[in-house]
Amino acid sequence: MIKLYTFLAIFLGFLLDFVLGDPQNPFHPIRFIGNMINFGDNIYKRSKIRNPILSFILGVVLTLFVIAISYGTSFFIIKVFYKIHMVLGFILEVILSYFLFAQRALKDESMKVYYALNEGNIELARKNLSFIVGRDTKSLSKNSIIKAAVETVSENLSDGVIAPLFFMLVFGIPFGFLYKAVNTLDSMIGYKNEIYEYFGKFAARLDDILNLFPSRLASLFMILSSWILGFNFKGAINIYKRDRYKHKSPNSAHTESVCAGALNIMLGGDNYYGGILVNKPTIGDNLREADILDIKSANKMMYLTSILVFAFLSLIYFGVLYYV
């Protein structure tokens, strides 16, 4: 169980992200993780190894290496700072936990799409959207742009906010970096294509396992937030029950289905990625056309869900602390 001062550091990091957002700078630890992955990925590509077994083994080696460095470095630095002075260690934990949250970044980036559409600038909306989604955006309609923005907010609620929060509160801040390493590996090499199908398989499956509980926790509290905010509570429940597994990932459609049901819109469906059409099932019912206000609504649910989950996990933490 984490110490009380670590809990307070995580709480302050959570608040800092709400107020300031993600600090974009060359020294961001997630960039460091991404650079490690990119270095290993480039070596693999240059080797032109495509044997399934050997590719899988190399992917396991890269994954374990990145995890070990991410966890070990954060663990070591925290220990050193606490040995120097308690206050320095506490400040470092606040900063490191702050780096791991992404709710403000999700809101800010998705709202750039909203503002562009509100001004009638669909080209700018497509460009802004391209920074936060993997699909091709150059020919997307206004309706598709809105749905894509809503999808990315609802889907990334789990791995951008709830999962880091859960793992930090349960296992400590270094485990939050372990999770982020796995999640970043999955986003960079966890694809089912000719290059990465075997090389990224271990990272992708590990990411699925780590997100099993956080994604379900996020979806349940997102349902509650839909009721508090006055959205379609029954629709959120019904679509969640029906569509939560309509995704190649066992976790991604959980929060997406809640959001689709709460807003009475249809998400998912076919899209182009790198010029290739990828068939995907739809999530939710097409009861109405998506509106730009749905982007704001998705963000409201994302923020409230984050607060509710933090409050819930805090109650459990202090309950355990009291009895222990």
Side-chain angles (χ1 to χ4, degrees):
M1 182 174 164
I2 63 172
K3 303 291 185 181
L4 180 58
Y5 50 78
T6 298
F7 173 86
L8 293 174
I10 295 168
F11 174 68
L12 289 175
F14 186 76
L15 288 181
L16 278 175
D17 185 73
F18 258 76
V19 175
L20 301 177
D22 194 30
Q24 295 297 320
N25 62 75
F27 304 104
H28 198 299
I30 307 304
R31 287 195 179 189
F32 172 69
I33 291 172
N35 289 337
M36 279 196 296
I37 299 167
N38 194 49
F39 180 76
D41 183 30
N42 286 335
I43 292 175
Y44 170 70
K45 286 177 179 175
R46 286 197 298 267
S47 71
K48 297 183 179 179
I49 295 171
R50 295 299 179 265
N51 177 274
I53 296 175
L54 187 54
S55 292
F56 179 78
I57 292 172
L58 291 173
V60 171
V61 171
L62 176 62
T63 299
L64 295 179
F65 175 79
V66 173
I67 288 173
I69 295 297
S70 301
Y71 179 90
T73 301
S74 56
F75 180 86
F76 176 75
I77 293 175
I78 290 171
K79 285 290 184 183
V80 169
F81 272 60
Y82 270 114
K83 282 187 178 293
I84 296 172
H85 199 282
M86 185 76 179
V87 174
L88 281 177
F90 177 75
I91 292 173
L92 178 68
E93 286 202 306
V94 172
I95 294 170
L96 290 179
S97 62
Y98 166 45
F99 280 135
L100 294 177
F101 291 115
Q103 62 261 32
R104 179 61 183 269
L106 278 172
K107 180 204 167 192
D108 289 348
E109 295 304 315
S110 61
M111 287 304 292
K112 288 178 183 178
V113 178
Y114 168 87
Y115 292 129
L117 289 174
N118 196 45
E119 294 168 2
N121 193 337
I122 194 166
E123 287 303 320
L124 180 59
R126 287 168 178 158
K127 180 180 178 181
N128 290 339
L129 180 66
S130 69
F131 296 131
I132 56 175
V133 299
R135 73 194 64 179
D136 298 343
T137 64
K138 289 183 178 180
S139 60
L140 290 181
S141 65
K142 179 181 176 180
N143 185 57
S144 297
I145 292 170
I146 295 168
K147 293 198 294 183
V150 170
E151 282 176 36
T152 198
V153 171
S154 59
E155 181 180 349
N156 286 288
L157 163 64
S158 178
D159 57 12
V161 185
I162 304 305
L165 173 63
F166 171 74
F167 287 118
M168 282 194 287
L169 288 178
V170 175
F171 302 111
I173 291 171
F175 204 96
F177 278 92
L178 182 152
Y179 168 77
K180 273 296 185 180
V182 174
N183 192 243
T184 307
L185 279 157
D186 178 56
S187 67
M188 292 180 69
I189 65 171
Y191 299 103
K192 286 187 177 180
N193 57 32
E194 185 180 350
I195 298 174
Y196 295 120
E197 181 172 5
Y198 298 100
F199 182 63
K201 187 181 289 290
F202 180 73
R205 296 293 80 77
L206 189 56
D207 184 70
D208 288 342
I209 292 169
L210 288 179
N211 278 299
L212 280 173
F213 181 76
S215 63
R216 286 146 181 81
L217 181 67
S219 60
L220 292 177
F221 279 94
M222 198 176 196
I223 290 172
L224 177 59
S225 73
S226 73
W227 174 71
I228 294 172
L229 292 168
F231 298 127
N232 188 348
F233 175 64
K234 289 184 178 179
I237 295 174
N238 292 335
I239 299 301
Y240 173 71
K241 289 165 64 177
R242 190 191 74 188
D243 293 348
R244 67 187 185 275
Y245 291 116
K246 285 187 174 182
H247 201 283
K248 63 178 181 179
S249 161
N251 307 310
S252 294
H254 282 257
T255 45
E256 278 190 50
S257 60
V258 173
C259 192
L263 299 180
N264 298 318
I265 60 176
M266 180 180 286
L267 301 176
D270 300 344
N271 275 292
Y272 284 89
Y273 294 80
I276 300 172
L277 178 63
V278 177
N279 301 116
K280 291 184 176 182
T282 56
I283 297 171
D285 294 325
N286 195 25
L287 301 180
R288 63 175 180 84
E289 284 289 296
D291 184 88
I292 61 170
L293 290 176
D294 292 323
I295 300 175
K296 278 190 170 182
S297 298
N299 278 302
K300 287 178 183 178
M301 282 193 284
M302 182 267 293
Y303 263 91
L304 183 55
T305 302
S306 302
I307 294 169
L308 291 173
V309 171
F310 198 105
F312 173 72
L313 293 176
S314 298
L315 287 173
I316 293 176
Y317 173 82
F318 284 106
V320 171
L321 190 68
Y322 175 79
Y323 284 107
V324 171

